[in-house]
Amino acid sequence: MDSSSSALPGQGTSPATLAELARHLVARASLVLKRPPAAGRANSAAPDAAKAGVGRVALVGAGPGDPELLTLRAARLIAEAEVLVFDHLVTADVLTLAAPTVERVYVGKKAGSHTLPQEDINQLLIRLAQSGRSVVRLKGGDPFVFGRGGEELEDLVAAGIPFEVVPGITAACGVAAYAGIPLTHRDHAQSVVFATGHVKPGGPDADWLALARPRQTTVIYMGVGALGDLCAGLIAHGRGADTPAALVENGTTRAQRVVTGTLATLPNKARWAAVKPPALLIVGEVVALSDRLAWFSPRRLSVRS
Ligand code: SAH
């Protein structure tokens, strides 16, 4: 804890120190809160499940990348897990908190290439829990924000598997904080909206009017592939072409890159900088504040309009 305590987040903490720190904090928190052991606290969806030797699933938000952004509860559950089922947004640093003996199942999904179809993931969770083990389903950010957490839980409920949900810091909050972009600000944005840039083929189109409202910050997840269309759509529906916009790649990690510009200039700048997922698009006047408020800058790109 000594030398790392002054290090920048996500930069100086060694895995061993991090695991030790997490154990220490979890132990302190348990003392303060007088928590019973985790095993007694899963939901009561299946009261007889424990008796029947059925395990349980914790749906846990892993936050946006920096392992120090995990909740204490997430850190404890990861450390206690017998099986970890995780996807590609969960960083290696977060996984170092798991016991060496834990079974790790990677079910990662990258844009366009699904390692396991969602239905198979749901069935896998059920099978693992039915084998009597304590399963942690780890998801990047928050499991209920563009994380399909609800779909997984519906199947667990149907199968009578006990579960609990641990919220995580969603990318919008984590990434904006590390990029120095306050999502709301009394002078600039009275509301904030989170939307997906992935529109299902054949599904409904984006609600452009809602996304392009003035005095609002619009945060778009999974927007890299459609960046040009998204920026053009916002302009077409009333946002000024000079509205500040940023694309933040791998936010909160050592690989964080921030590309700033305007709705008109950002698509070209992002192409020039070869920004790849995971990246978050943030649109609104608040983005301009990052000039003064950015504090975490492992390799900030100065690509400005
Ligand atoms: N449940 C997650 C979101 C999953 S959707 C959450 O609450 O954050 C995946 C999208 O999240 C990515 O395409 C990207 O837009 C965004 N994202 C997740 N982690 C990110 C990160 N570290 N930096 C930038 N964007 C991120």
Side-chain angles (χ1 to χ4, degrees):
M1 283 187 55
D2 35 42
S3 60
S4 62
S5 56
S6 60
L8 270 182
Q11 292 196 314
T13 319
S14 74
T17 316
L18 184 65
E20 205 174 289
L21 174 65
R23 265 197 304 277
H24 172 74
L25 292 174
V26 164
R28 293 278 311 153
S30 305
L31 270 182
V32 172
L33 300 172
K34 298 195 173 55
R35 286 250 192 243
R41 288 187 291 107
N43 80 319
S44 54
D48 297 331
K51 278 184 240 150
V54 174
R56 51 196 278 284
V57 175
L59 180 60
V60 175
D66 181 347
E68 291 190 14
L69 294 181
L70 283 170
T71 60
L72 289 178
R73 185 127 152 196
R76 178 170 57 77
L77 288 168
I78 294 168
E80 290 173 358
E82 292 171 291
V83 190
L84 267 183
V85 180
F86 62 100
D87 56 36
H88 77 282
L89 283 175
V90 177
T91 56
D93 286 345
V94 166
L95 294 173
T96 60
L97 294 177
T101 50
V102 75
E103 180 182 342
R104 292 161 194 243
V105 185
Y106 175 71
V107 292
K109 277 183 261 180
K110 281 199 181 141
S113 64
H114 288 205
T115 303
L116 261 192
Q118 186 64 48
E119 180 51 29
D120 292 1
I121 296 176
N122 301 0
Q123 292 310 315
L124 173 73
L125 293 175
I126 292 170
R127 272 203 316 279
L128 288 170
Q130 282 172 341
S131 74
R133 287 182 288 175
S134 159
V135 182
V136 167
R137 171 64 171 124
L138 249 191
K139 285 176 171 280
D142 182 274
F144 281 177
V145 179
F146 304 122
R148 301 197 178 181
E151 294 169 43
E152 292 178 11
L153 291 191
E154 282 171 329
D155 280 12
L156 292 179
V157 168
I161 307 286
F163 64 86
E164 67 177 295
V165 184
V166 181
I169 294 184
T170 191
C173 296
V175 165
Y178 277 48
I181 302 173
L183 291 176
T184 67
H185 188 293
R186 284 192 297 171
D187 296 336
H188 307 293
Q190 278 67 46
S191 64
V192 54
V193 60
F194 298 169
T196 168
H198 252 187
V199 188
K200 258 193 187 169
D205 198 10
D207 182 352
W208 287 109
L209 289 177
L211 296 182
R213 271 194 203 114
R215 306 185 66 73
Q216 167 177 279
T217 306
T218 299
V219 182
I220 302 189
Y221 290 67
M222 296 169 278
V224 176
L227 184 66
D229 291 343
L230 290 167
C231 291
L234 290 171
I235 295 171
H237 290 82
R239 271 303 212 165
D242 58 352
T243 307
L247 200 57
V248 184
E249 179 188 75
N250 287 311
T252 82
T253 75
R254 282 176 221 101
Q256 171 171 307
R257 292 198 300 164
V258 183
V259 179
T260 53
T262 64
L263 282 177
T265 62
L266 192 64
N268 268 337
K269 290 183 171 185
R271 207 169 306 127
W272 178 81
V275 175
K276 293 191 190 57
L280 203 66
L281 171 61
I282 306 179
V283 178
E285 286 69 17
V286 289
V287 169
L289 294 170
S290 71
D291 273 350
R292 280 177 289 139
L293 305 185
W295 56 274
F296 176 75
S297 49
R299 354 183 217 140
R300 186 183 169 90
L301 279 184
S302 296
V303 198
R304 303 199 166 277
S305 43

